[in-house]
Amino acid sequence: MARRLDTQLDRLTRKSAGRRSQTKTERKRGRYVQSRVPKGKVTDLAFDATFRAAAPYQKERDTSELALALEKSDLREKVRVRRAANLILFAVDASWSMAVAERMEATKGAIMSLLTDAYQRRDRVGLIVFNKNDSNLVLQPTNSVQLAKQALADIAVGGKTPLSAGLMMAYDVFRQEAYTHPDVMPMLILLTDGAGNVSLSDMPPQQEAHRISELIKELGVRSVVINMEHAAFDQGLAKLLAEKLDAPCHTLEDLRADTLYQTVLGELDNQ
């Protein structure tokens, strides 16, 4: 775990079934996929696996009064998987740049495609936009296409790049979701060039953004960084941020809604 720094950031505090991603569950629900030797008390006995484990030893055991002689070492418990809903949270740098209009249109298109696709899977999608000196949760996590259309209708762009504020808001959303929807599998899609220039504390902007990224990683959030810097001017800042998030870093020179949508789907399928 990364060492916590003595700044105001360190005064901050940290399951809904779906059909796309699978996760192991300790509950007696979900599809039985395999068995295992129990580590403690057995609460979900796998009868078939237990019988198979005991079968080779029946000649050595007293079965005069039993059809099958079982011992504690024979016991096996079920391993189940269930479909877990995803929370896909976009955090988009809307500070002024040549590509800002295309960036926002691609993001909006990807969100609408994901919501349409996620309707039967109970996935939810949210959107954070950061620019000027602040960040805004433009779209609360939702599976409503209609709510998304209303929220995405008009988003202001331009100004500075408060990367830390956007990451901090994402951290807060994920932390809250961990309490209210503890089974949800969280994913952050961060669209930025990685060059933050506004701080929340007295830390330098880049150092602060990296620290918050480590906090997001510690929550168990899976992240994907979309590097929005032009290849000719790329200083590797987005890639460095991705490393702090333990995330892949994609470069989409021709950013379109369909390519961003397919990138997100590809990452979901790899979970």
Side-chain angles (χ1 to χ4, degrees), residues 29-75:
R29 290 186 292 171
R31 183 163 55 90
Y32 168 33
V33 293
Q34 66 184 74
S35 63
R36 64 187 174 194
V37 176
K39 295 180 180 179
K41 183 179 178 181
V42 180
T43 58
D44 196 5
L45 183 66
F47 289 97
D48 56 336
T50 298
F51 293 160
R52 285 195 299 272
Y57 305 103
Q58 294 308 295
K59 290 184 179 181
E60 305 167 11
R61 299 176 183 174
D62 180 10
T63 57
S64 58
E65 298 181 1
L66 299 168
L68 185 70
L70 296 178
E71 295 184 1
K72 186 176 181 180
S73 60
D74 301 324
L75 298 181

Side-chain angles (χ1 to χ4, degrees), residues 23 69 72 77 85-86 116 132 141 176 181 202 213:
T23 183
K72 186 176 181 180
E77 64 183 5
N86 296 289
T116 301
K132 298 181 180 178
Q176 180 61 38
H181 300 88
D202 56 358
S213 296

